[in-house]
Amino acid sequence: MQKLTRIVTLSLALLMISGCSYFGVYKRDLPQGNLVTEAMVEQLRPGMSRQQVVDLMGSPLLEAPFDARQWDYVYRLDEAYGGVEQRRVTLTFQGERLAGIDREGNISGDIQLPEDQGAGPRVEGTSDTRMEAIENVTPDRP
């Protein structure tokens, strides 16, 4: 009986330790927020209307709930096996016109996002090659 208890205890301990292994953990880059580029910020001019800013930059990520004079565009890229890059552009309005532009982070640097990644992991049994369209195909008619 004592030998059976040892075997069960050892088996449970090995099972618990194997669940904590680091091998095979998949990580991917995690981009969040509004993608802010230098070209976008360069086009901003004091005196632009709110609608012109939305057309250029998109909707702001953060809008002050009690003071509608400030919009924040924040972009954060958490690299899977690297550091974190954060960019922030704060726009201040006077009435309906843009009055101030504040920048934080390295907006001038390019962000390299992988182009081959889709919205999720690859589905088994699929390939990355695209099939060519077949021309002049008509369905069979009864």
Side-chain angles (χ1 to χ4, degrees):
M1 183 69 175
Q2 188 176 10
K3 192 173 186 179
L4 180 63
T5 305
R6 285 184 185 174
I7 291 173
V8 170
T9 304
L10 181 63
S11 297
L12 286 174
L14 289 174
L15 182 65
M16 302 245 332
I17 290 171
S18 69
C20 298
S21 73
Y22 183 73
F23 302 107
V25 174
Y26 175 73
K27 291 185 177 182
R28 68 185 300 173
D29 293 345
L30 182 62
Q32 296 176 322
N34 301 87
L35 179 59
V36 178
T37 63
E38 183 178 19
M40 294 167 68
V41 177
E42 293 286 327
Q43 294 178 30
L44 291 172
R45 300 281 181 253
M48 291 177 78
S49 70
R50 290 178 188 251
Q51 186 58 46
Q52 288 174 322
V53 172
V54 168
D55 291 342
L56 177 65
M57 301 280 290
S59 298
L61 184 66
L62 301 170
E63 225 178 305
F66 301 111
D67 185 10
R69 293 182 302 166
Q70 183 173 320
W71 286 0
D72 290 308
Y73 291 86
V74 180
Y75 181 76
R76 178 183 166 98
L77 177 63
D78 186 2
E79 296 175 354
Y81 299 100
V84 175
E85 181 178 344
Q86 184 166 330
R87 299 174 173 190
R88 181 182 192 130
V89 175
T90 302
L91 304 178
T92 308
F93 291 89
Q94 287 181 349
E96 291 296 314
R97 298 292 173 190
L98 180 62
I101 304 166
D102 296 323
R103 305 174 188 199
E104 292 179 26
N106 183 15
I107 295 176
S108 62
D110 288 335
I111 294 179
Q112 299 297 325
L113 294 177
E115 295 179 15
D116 60 342
Q117 286 183 340
R122 182 180 307 175
V123 178
E124 265 186 58
T126 62
S127 67
D128 290 337
T129 59
R130 296 182 186 256
M131 300 285 290
E132 292 294 324
I134 301 173
E135 298 289 329
N136 299 326
V137 175
T138 57
D140 294 334
R141 294 187 184 162

